[in-house]
Amino acid sequence: MLVLNCSIKLQMLEKMLMWSFPESLKVYGAVMNINRGNPFRKEVVVDSWPNFKAVITRPQRENGMDDLDHYTNAYAVFYKELQAYKELLENTNTINWGQIFQIQGLQDGIREVSRTVALSKKVDVKTSSFWMVIHSDPDTLCLENIRNNFLPNTFTVLFLRMDPNLTVANLDISHASLLNETWSRGGNPRCQQYLANLICCFPSVCVLDDKGCPLSWGLTDQFATMIHGYTLPEHRRKGYSRLVATTLAKKLHSQGFPAQGNVIETNMPSVALLKSMNAQFLPCSFFRMIHTPFHLLAKPHL
């Protein structure tokens, strides 16, 4: 196991990961953030260098971590050889198996390995899977395309931008409470703090009403993934979600990031929106695995 802490090697890794798209996208996004100031204090572990067969991004070990915070205790994984990843995961110096944490990746093998290794370490694993999408060319999301896809009795983005009562802006840390209340993964203090940290560190977009309250929003996580796209129920079917997603995708592309995201396959309104925006549905699925040591299962951590 090697920790890559050399800026030159990390820049090399970023370029090398591009050769393995789309499966390497999660790790690639994390490495991009590391190479651009490392606002979430991550580090990279590989089995060998430069001919690595497995790579993991993880929280820096010197940072004091909440053992119950699986939002922040997050790892991204990419492997070229599954056995190399398994051996890296089994290494007690790679993962902190005494805390609740999550592993994210875009390869089927990470589920199999997580279950096998976790069982040997007396750790429970809960897996969620999603469709992975990417906006390969946000410039195709033009206003004409938006207008043509609106439903009757809605106004176009052009009118939205001209409406003096509405503002397109970045999310503010004061909005974290609302985001926490409306996120399917939220509803607890740890999530609210995590969302506040994301707002401070990474690109976001929202539509504000005349009182400065968000009506619709989207933000970016530690893996450079577009997450928590949401519009308040009373403001839906007005084109806000499309505007937010388009603006955030363009913002990410302008900074050199891939505009990637994920969606639950049963969320048909979101799936339909993404398809109408020409988002590309990738052949690989996104997997998130929450690992919880057996002795922590009874604790009120969620």
Side-chain angles (χ1 to χ4, degrees):
M1 183 200 81
L2 299 172
V3 178
L4 291 188
N5 49 25
C6 169
S7 60
I8 295 177
K9 292 180 179 179
L10 288 168
Q11 292 287 347
M12 289 176 57
L13 176 63
E14 180 179 322
K15 295 179 180 179
M16 294 163 73
L17 289 168
M18 295 176 69
W19 303 340
S20 300
F21 282 177
E23 288 83 1
S24 64
L25 271 171
K26 286 292 179 178
V27 171
Y28 177 75
V31 172
M32 284 193 74
N33 280 324
I34 292 172
N35 287 336
R36 288 155 182 76
N38 201 12
F40 237 65
R41 294 179 293 180
K42 295 285 188 176
E43 62 186 12
V44 176
V45 175
V46 293
D47 66 312
S48 59
W49 183 262
N51 299 316
F52 68 89
K53 300 179 182 67
V55 55
I56 297 176
T57 64
R58 69 182 188 185
Q60 290 178 343
R61 285 301 179 90
E62 59 268 25
N63 295 321
M65 303 298 294
D66 179 351
D67 286 341
L68 304 182
D69 180 13
H70 73 267
Y71 302 98
T72 305
N73 302 336
Y75 301 72
V77 171
F78 169 69
Y79 63 82
K80 296 178 180 178
E81 294 185 9
L82 186 57
Q83 182 59 31
Y85 168 57
K86 183 174 183 293
E87 293 173 358
L88 196 58
L89 197 64
E90 289 173 331
N91 188 320
T92 56
N93 292 322
T94 304
I95 301 287
N96 183 352
W97 289 94
Q99 62 182 197
I100 302 174
F101 65 93
Q102 64 173 286
I103 290 179
Q104 296 192 10
L106 303 175
Q107 295 165 288
D108 288 342
I110 62 176
R111 295 181 299 171
E112 169 193 339
V113 168
S114 280
R115 293 191 186 101
T116 300
V117 178
L119 182 61
S120 69
K121 296 182 180 295
K122 298 182 178 180
V123 172
D124 176 72
V125 180
K126 287 184 172 58
T127 303
S128 302
S129 63
F130 308 81
W131 281 342
M132 190 72 181
V133 299
I134 190 166
H135 298 288
S136 57
D137 185 6
D139 287 337
T140 64
L141 308 178
C142 61
L143 286 178
E144 187 61 35
N145 185 23
I146 294 172
R147 281 193 287 269
N148 289 341
N149 282 286
F150 272 143
L151 297 173
N153 301 319
T154 64
F155 50 88
T156 67
V157 171
L158 180 60
F159 292 153
L160 175 59
R161 288 173 174 168
M162 294 175 60
D163 189 331
N165 295 319
L166 299 172
T167 306
V168 179
N170 299 324
L171 285 166
D172 182 85
I173 192 172
S174 63
H175 302 145
S177 176
L178 175 61
L179 269 63
N180 180 44
E181 294 171 0
T182 52
W183 199 19
S184 60
R185 297 179 55 207
N188 62 82
R190 289 185 177 88
C191 182
Q192 181 167 326
Q193 183 58 56
Y194 173 67
L195 290 167
N197 291 339
L198 293 182
I199 290 170
C200 291
C201 294
F202 304 118
S204 64
V205 174
C206 66
V207 176
L208 302 177
D209 64 14
D210 56 351
K211 296 180 180 179
C213 299
L215 308 179
S216 181
W217 58 82
L219 65 160
T220 315
D221 71 5
Q222 55 195 306
F223 306 111
T225 303
M226 298 166 63
I227 67 164
H228 197 5
Y230 190 88
T231 299
L232 296 176
E234 61 270 29
H235 296 284
R236 291 174 184 170
R237 301 177 67 84
K238 297 179 181 179
Y240 297 158
S241 293
R242 187 184 300 271
L243 172 63
V244 167
T246 301
T247 306
L248 184 54
K250 287 179 176 290
K251 182 181 293 190
L252 288 169
H253 267 252
S254 71
Q255 298 178 15
F257 287 88
Q260 57 172 315
N262 53 73
V263 61
I264 299 176
E265 59 185 79
T266 56
N267 187 347
M268 298 314 298
S270 293
V271 171
L273 172 64
L274 289 166
K275 288 182 177 179
S276 73
M277 293 173 63
N278 297 328
Q280 179 185 357
F281 285 73
L282 301 180
C284 51
S285 295
F286 162 53
F287 301 105
R288 181 176 61 239
M289 290 144 291
I290 307 296
H291 295 64
T292 306
F294 289 166
H295 71 278
L296 293 178
L297 281 173
K299 289 186 176 293
H301 56 272
L302 297 180

